[in-house]
Amino acid sequence: MTSDLGSYTLIHTLFYKFDEQLEELKKPKFTSLNYKKKFRFVNELLLKMIDESKKPSFLLAAILEFIERINLEKIFPEPYRFSHFEFWLNRFSDLSEERLHEVRSKIVGKSLPREAYQLFFPIGMNRTYFGSHFVAAHNSPDIDTTIASFWGWVDAFATKVGTGQHVWCLPGGPPDSHITLFFQKLFGNSFFAALARPTQALSLAAIDLMTQEDMIKCRGDQSTLDIDHGNYSRAVIYTDEEGYYLGDWRAADVEQVRQVTNLFKSLLHWFENNFHVELISLFSKRDLKADDLASLIEEIFGKSLDEMGPVAEFSKEQHTKYELFLDKILKLKPQSSINELLKRLAELGIDEAQQFGNEVRALKSSLFSKIGELNDSRPQIFGKIEKIIKILDSAIQKTRAFVERLDVTMRVKEDVLEIAPLVVHVRSDVEEIRSKMDNFSFLTVVIAEEKGKLHPVGIVRASDLRREVMGTVSLRDFSNFQEMKMASYLQVISVVDHHTVDLKTQAAPQMLIGDAQSCNVLVAEQTFKLNDQYSTGGMSLDEIEEQIKKLSSNDNSSTR
C-alpha cells in the first residue's frame, strides 16, 4: 500500500536533554560572564548539541526552538538569530572544512558532495564566492517564492556558496497565507523571525566583508620592534588583557610615531655622551676636590630638559611634538630638571634611573675624605666610574624599550599626533566603510558591549572594497531587477524561475528556467534527482541488498 506525500508528518523534535542544557544558562557561571563570553558559551553549547545528535539528523527545527528559548530568557540585549550562529561558526569555531560541512549537513538534513549542488549554483572546481550569499524571494512574497527561496537557502547554506553568511531574503516578511502557519508548525513560531531577513533591498555590511586573515592582536607590553607588519599585509590590533579593542597599530603609524620618540631618544643619547665627557673631565683634574664633584652633580642633575643640546636644533613643529610627548607621556614640562626626569622614569618602573642618581651622589662619600681630598686608589675610582656608566647604560636601554612599548606608542599616536581610533561596527554599510577607509589599508570591525567596550571580531580590507563583485545573489521565482533592489556590487549567480527572464549579469549565472505552473516544480525535479542519486530511498540495508540481488539475477538471466 502506498501513501501520499501529504500523509507524512515531520516531527518537531528537540535536542537531547534540551531543558537540562538550557539550565546551564541560568547558573552564575554563565550569568556573570560579559557579552563576549556569553556569546561564545551559547554558540559552543549549540554546536555541542549538534555534535551529540545522532545521524541522520534534520536539526533546523531544534535549532530554531533553541533560539526562541534564548530570546525568551533575554540572554542577549538584542534578539539572537540563526545568522549569529553562522557568523560564529565561520569566524570563531576553528573547525576544519570537513567538520563545517558535517555540521551544516546535520542542520539541513542532508549530506551531499559539494559538486552535487552544481544543479543549482555555479560552484564547479570547488569554487567559493567572496562575501555573503543572498537567496531572495520576490517582493510581496507568495507561496511559490517563499518555499522556493527557503529551499534555495537550505541548499546554499549546505554547500557554502560564499565565504560569508548565507541570507534568506523575504522582502516585507512572510506572506499572509496558510503557508506561514505551515512553516511555523514545522519549524516553530520563531521560524521567520530567526531565519528570514525582511529587507526590501540587498546590500552588504561589515559583517559580510570582514576577515580574520592576517589579523594579529597585540597587548600593550609588547615591543613595537617585534611586531612585523608583513610588507603592509598584516593588521595589528591593540587590545587590553581581556581582548577588548584599544586601537590599531598600522604600518603607516610606525614612521610617524618614531619621528616623535626619536626626539626624546636624541636627548637620552646626548645626556649619556655629555655625562661621560663631564665625568671623565672632572676626574682628569689635578687637584680634584669634593666640592668640584658636588658642583658638577648639581649642574648635571639641575639642568632643565630644554637646556639639553638637541632641543635647540628642533624645528618649531618638532618642538611642539617634543613638548606634547613630555606632557602626555612622561607628565613633565620642558622646564623639568634631569633629576625630575630620573624620578619619573623610576616611577614608570625603570629602577636604574634612580639607582644611577644615587650612585653618582654617593661618589663624594666613597671616593673623598672628610676634608674633601680624593682617594688615590685608582682601582676604586675607576671601579666606581665603571659601575655608574653601566647603570646609566642600562637605564637608557630600558627607557628606550619603554618608549617602544605598544601602549606607549599608541599614546603617542593618539595624544601627541592626535590620530584617533577609527572602527566600523558589524552592521556598518559599505558606504560608511568607504567613507571611513580613506587611505587606510584596513578598518577594524567591532561589536559594542556593555560599558562601552568594543570587541574586535575582524577587519575589512581596502582591497576588498575595491572588488567589482563583493557578494552574490540567487533569485527564486523571479529573474529581473524590478522586484528586488540590490546594490551594484552584488552579482546574480543563480536563478530558478518559470516567468519571463529580463536579466543582465556580468557573468553567466546558473539558470533553471522552465514552462511550469510553479517554480517549485523545477526545484523539486532537481531535488528529487539529488535524493535519488545519494539517498537510500527509505530502504534499509537489507532491502537494498535484496534489490541488488534481484537486479543481478535479472542481468544474468537476460544474458543466457
Side-chain angles (χ1 to χ4, degrees), residues 296-323:
L296 179 64
I297 292 173
E298 183 178 350
E299 179 185 348
I300 290 175
F301 293 135
K303 188 186 296 289
S304 71
L305 300 179
D306 240 8
E307 293 177 305
M308 298 176 75
V311 178
E313 299 176 5
F314 291 167
S315 67
K316 184 177 180 181
E317 182 182 357
Q318 288 176 324
H319 205 282
T320 300
K321 292 177 180 178
Y322 156 71
E323 289 188 359

Side-chain angles (χ1 to χ4, degrees), residues 376-441:
D376 60 359
S377 173
R378 293 177 61 188
Q380 185 179 5
I381 293 173
F382 285 104
K384 288 289 184 180
I385 292 175
E386 180 184 20
K387 181 180 180 182
I388 289 172
I389 289 175
K390 286 183 176 179
I391 294 173
L392 175 58
D393 179 67
S394 178
I396 289 178
Q397 292 302 321
K398 289 192 175 182
T399 303
R400 287 175 175 271
F402 166 78
V403 170
E404 294 292 349
R405 281 171 47 126
L406 181 58
D407 52 357
V408 176
T409 57
M410 287 300 300
R411 286 171 58 197
V412 173
K413 175 184 173 180
E414 295 174 21
D415 297 339
V416 178
L417 299 175
E418 298 181 340
I419 302 175
L422 191 62
V423 299
V424 292
H425 294 261
V426 288
R427 300 301 175 193
S428 297
D429 60 29
V430 170
E431 294 309 313
E432 179 187 345
I433 300 170
R434 282 174 170 165
S435 68
K436 289 183 175 181
M437 186 67 73
D438 196 26
N439 294 322
F440 297 137
S441 60

Side-chain angles (χ1 to χ4, degrees), residues 138-202:
H138 61 65
N139 209 354
S140 301
D142 54 19
I143 293 176
D144 199 19
T145 194
T146 300
I147 295 174
S149 59
F150 165 67
W151 204 249
W153 173 84
V154 168
D155 289 333
F157 176 81
T159 192
K160 200 173 184 293
V161 172
T163 59
Q165 294 181 282
H166 296 78
V167 185
W168 177 28
C169 294
L170 201 61
D176 186 15
S177 70
H178 67 281
I179 193 64
T180 299
L181 298 176
F182 176 75
F183 271 116
Q184 290 174 333
K185 182 180 179 181
L186 288 178
F187 297 106
N189 294 328
S190 66
F191 174 73
F192 291 103
L195 202 61
R197 185 184 292 185
T199 182
Q200 298 282 353
L202 303 183

